[in-house]
Amino acid sequence: MARLVIEGMGRQPKQLPAWLLYDAEGSRLFEAICEQPEYGLTRTETALLEARAAELAAALGPGVVVEFGAGSARKVSPLLGALEPAAYVALDISADHLAPACRALQRRHPDLPVLGICCDYSRLEQLPDHPALEGHSRLGFYPGSSIGNFDPAGAQALLRQFRRLLGAGSRLLIGIDQPKAVQRLEAAYNDAAGWSEAFARNLLTRLNRDLDGDFQAADFAYRAWWDAEQGRIAMALVSRRALEVRLAGRCWPFAAGEPLITEYSYKYGPEAFLTLAATAGWRGVGRWSDPAGDFALHLLVQADSEQQRSDP
């Protein structure tokens, strides 16, 4: 953690890995964001999964479901009900959030083997040996448009990582938030109740606690805006004045108005996303979207796989 923070603080602009936002309190705050009226992504994706669960299950086929960034593990439930997989594996960075999520999911699906792995899924090289995983194909599930937290090069690397982790012949169902009106995009990350701001500010609390930082929350303003040139929402804590912060054993100067990027959220239209996926060795074989075209689920197979499936 210290190494990644030092690396991020040395960038221009300063930028920290988005997963640092998700300690126990950050995970709780993010769940609150998902309930806000301005943030429609979670509701739209959940409704899509519920309405099309049978079609999705038929397209995915049998195997073990591996969810990247499982969070509360609520979105996957209708898919598991329709699919009846051999097992379910939840990968998440927050152990405090992962354990109760897996217990709740197990109660909803008592006959399903449920495994939780606390990890940075972007760096996980292989799943641990476990009898429930042996002899089954792997079905990746990556909801929430979380791939948007990575820049295009990082997203490409992540999709390649998923190929290695899931193995030959695997499939990946991934949620993608699509471009929409700027006013709607910016409102989603600037909710009136202030949960998005609290989520970003909690990062300073974590850095102070875990890496001996001395951030003062009052020295920073929260800001989220649409960057049209890059096709992304940028979220940052912006220094209100020139100051110096101690963190991870070093001193870091901030100029007045200098941002500390807490996360980006890239948005991809269908063609742009499939082009990105192709560069990482994936091929699109299915797509489901809500009527307004705000959000899409893409089904990908490995481009060199011999397995051929008709578009759903």
Side-chain angles (χ1 to χ4, degrees):
M1 180 177 174
R3 177 179 60 81
L4 292 173
V5 166
I6 289 170
E7 177 185 308
M9 293 292 287
R11 292 180 182 176
Q12 191 56 246
K14 295 178 174 68
Q15 180 189 350
L16 299 183
W19 62 260
L20 286 173
L21 292 160
Y22 294 92
D23 63 354
E25 177 64 5
S27 296
R28 184 190 72 81
L29 291 167
F30 182 72
E31 291 297 319
I33 291 171
C34 293
E35 300 296 327
Q36 300 312 300
E38 299 95 334
Y39 194 86
L41 187 157
T42 300
R43 288 186 296 276
T44 301
E45 185 176 28
T46 300
L48 191 57
L49 285 163
E50 291 174 347
R52 311 300 284 273
E55 295 173 53
L56 293 166
L60 280 165
V64 170
V65 172
V66 179
E67 183 172 3
F68 301 98
S72 65
R74 293 174 186 165
K75 293 178 184 176
V76 75
S77 197
L79 188 62
L80 296 179
L83 188 61
E84 297 184 356
Y88 167 73
V89 181
L91 310 179
D92 199 83
I93 196 68
S94 172
D96 290 338
H97 206 57
L98 182 64
C102 284
R103 288 194 293 269
L105 190 72
Q106 187 72 85
R107 287 192 293 271
R108 293 196 294 272
H109 303 273
D111 298 325
L112 175 68
V114 173
L115 295 83
I117 302 173
C118 181
C119 64
D120 175 0
Y121 59 77
S122 69
R123 295 173 178 266
L124 185 66
E125 290 299 326
Q126 62 182 21
L127 296 176
D129 292 332
H130 193 284
L133 309 183
E134 294 178 1
H136 300 287
S137 60
R138 292 172 180 178
L139 315 171
F141 180 50
Y142 194 32
S145 200
S146 296
I147 198 168
N149 289 147
F150 298 82
D151 64 23
Q156 182 187 88
L158 182 67
L159 290 171
R160 286 178 176 160
Q161 171 76 354
F162 288 175
R163 286 192 72 205
R164 292 190 293 269
L165 186 63
L166 295 171
S170 57
R171 281 148 280 160
L172 176 64
L173 183 65
I174 182 170
I176 300 295
D177 194 25
Q178 302 188 142
K180 50 186 70 72
V182 173
Q183 183 178 6
R184 292 181 59 200
L185 284 169
E186 292 188 341
Y189 298 90
N190 289 283
D191 60 279
W195 291 105
S196 295
E197 179 174 355
F199 180 56
R201 289 187 178 281
N202 182 64
L203 175 62
L204 302 184
T205 301
R206 180 178 191 180
L207 293 173
N208 287 348
R209 180 188 69 227
D210 294 347
L211 291 177
D212 297 322
D214 63 358
F215 281 97
Q216 299 297 315
D219 288 337
F220 292 85
Y222 171 73
R223 185 176 170 223
W225 68 97
W226 173 247
D227 181 344
E229 183 177 349
Q230 299 293 331
R232 68 191 182 193
I233 285 282
M235 287 152 277
L237 293 165
V238 181
S239 176
R240 298 182 188 274
R241 59 182 178 84
L243 54 87
E244 187 174 84
V245 171
R246 186 164 181 82
L247 178 66
R250 302 189 185 188
C251 291
W252 305 96
F254 280 82
E258 181 178 352
L260 169 61
I261 303 295
T262 59
E263 61 179 323
Y264 289 124
S265 184
Y266 286 80
K267 310 300 178 183
Y268 294 98
E271 291 185 9
F273 174 69
L274 290 176
T275 298
L276 174 70
T279 64
W282 292 96
R283 175 171 56 89
V285 294
R287 178 180 175 273
W288 296 261
S289 180
D290 64 291
D294 288 342
F295 189 90
L297 290 165
H298 288 265
L299 179 61
L300 308 177
V301 299
Q302 296 191 19
D304 55 1
S305 173
E306 296 180 359
Q307 182 177 9
Q308 299 293 322
R309 285 176 174 266
S310 299
D311 289 356

